[in-house]
Amino acid sequence: GAGVSQSPSNKVTEKGKDVELRCDPISGHTALYWYRQRLGQGLEFLIYFQGNSAPDKSGLPSDRFSAERTGESVSTLTIQRTQQEDSAVYLCASSLVPGRDQPQHFGDGTRLSIL
Amino acid sequence: SQQGEEDPQALSIQEGENATMNCSYKTSINNLQWYRQNSGRGLVHLILIRSNEREKHSGRLRVTLDTSKKSSSLLITASRAADTASYFCATDDTDKLIFGTGTRLQVFP
């Protein structure tokens, strides 16, 4: 597709379950970012992948959060033993190359609700 | 952590009026970007202004940057109902972007 694709668009799960969120970046984009957006809030940076370099995990809030990326394609964000405070929209973005002057292209997010 | 803070948090105007949103940030930057987010959607890049630029235009958008005051403004002229959205500024932190808290703009027809 032409844009960043995220799945599922909505996820409702019980507290304590694990969830896996998927992001398909724009083809050819080497940089991929994950953000969390709580209701009515701005974006919190979670993790950043750049090609084959080690990811920047500095934004992950706890060791329950992890993410992987296969080469320069799909990425998955996994949240283990979910808590109610994990309820948020998780947004993925990609850019053609990494860099502070690169516009980021966003998917529409996964809305995660923890019961 | 969030670097930028937008002001006001919410703004309601009539179609045809101009909308001005402000962003303040804390540390030195190389550039600043503005994004729009429609309800339930991802963010869309609007414009990037570099630290050595003072003003930039794109269609009905005008962005200013004052690095001495660590602030930027986004002006939307002749607003339309379709401009209803949240607007975020984002500053650079190495290869990452740090987003502000956003301004929710409502344009009434």
Side-chain angles (χ1 to χ4, degrees):
Chain A
V4 177
S5 177
Q6 291 189 245
S7 62
S9 54
N10 287 281
K11 177 73 176 178
V12 181
T13 192
E14 294 179 344
K15 176 182 171 181
K17 300 285 189 183
D18 297 352
V19 295
E20 191 172 277
L21 313 179
R22 177 186 170 107
C23 172
D24 283 276
I26 293 172
S27 178
H29 280 200
T30 62
L32 185 148
Y33 308 81
W34 282 99
Y35 298 90
R36 178 171 69 182
Q37 185 177 31
R38 292 200 165 105
L39 186 63
Q41 303 294 312
L43 276 67
E44 297 174 68
F45 166 77
L46 296 178
I47 188 169
Y48 154 53
F49 294 90
Q50 174 199 335
N52 294 320
S53 301
D56 178 343
K57 305 179 180 180
S58 59
L60 294 179
S62 77
D63 59 8
R64 296 186 296 106
F65 288 72
S66 63
E68 294 183 348
R69 186 181 187 193
T70 307
E72 294 185 352
S73 60
V74 171
S75 175
T76 56
L77 176 69
T78 301
I79 309 173
Q80 296 178 309
R81 304 181 303 281
T82 51
Q83 303 294 313
Q84 287 185 331
E85 71 239 29
D86 299 334
S87 295
V89 175
Y90 290 82
L91 291 162
C92 174
S94 68
S95 62
L96 183 60
V97 292
R100 56 186 66 188
D101 62 349
Q102 295 298 309
Q104 294 185 12
H105 302 264
F106 282 79
D108 285 339
T110 293
R111 184 174 301 276
L112 178 64
S113 300
I114 310 299
L115 302 178
Chain B
S1 63
Q2 288 175 329
Q3 152 89 299
E5 289 194 4
E6 282 88 343
D7 167 58
Q9 290 188 335
L11 179 61
S12 294
I13 58 174
Q14 295 291 131
E15 254 187 337
E17 294 180 338
N18 296 340
T20 299
M21 289 159 271
N22 303 295
C23 168
S24 60
Y25 56 92
K26 298 172 185 173
T27 61
S28 62
I29 60 171
N30 291 286
N31 61 67
L32 184 144
Q33 301 184 35
W34 284 91
Y35 287 79
R36 183 188 74 223
Q37 184 179 34
N38 288 76
S39 181
R41 304 299 299 274
L43 279 72
V44 174
H45 178 260
L46 294 175
I47 197 166
L48 179 150
I49 186 166
R50 301 186 189 282
S51 59
N52 61 355
E53 297 175 311
R54 291 297 168 258
E55 188 170 310
K56 200 163 183 179
H57 297 254
S58 176
R60 293 184 296 112
L61 305 181
R62 189 187 83 157
V63 169
T64 63
L65 179 64
D66 187 336
T67 54
S68 67
K69 294 182 179 177
K70 292 187 170 56
S71 68
S72 174
S73 67
L74 171 66
L75 168 67
I76 304 174
T77 59
S79 64
R80 305 167 182 168
D83 295 328
T84 294
S86 292
Y87 292 82
F88 295 89
C89 66
T91 52
D92 59 307
D93 174 11
T94 57
D95 287 341
K96 305 194 297 286
L97 293 180
I98 306 298
F99 286 83
T101 51
T103 292
R104 292 186 304 281
L105 174 65
Q106 174 93 50
V107 181
F108 291 99

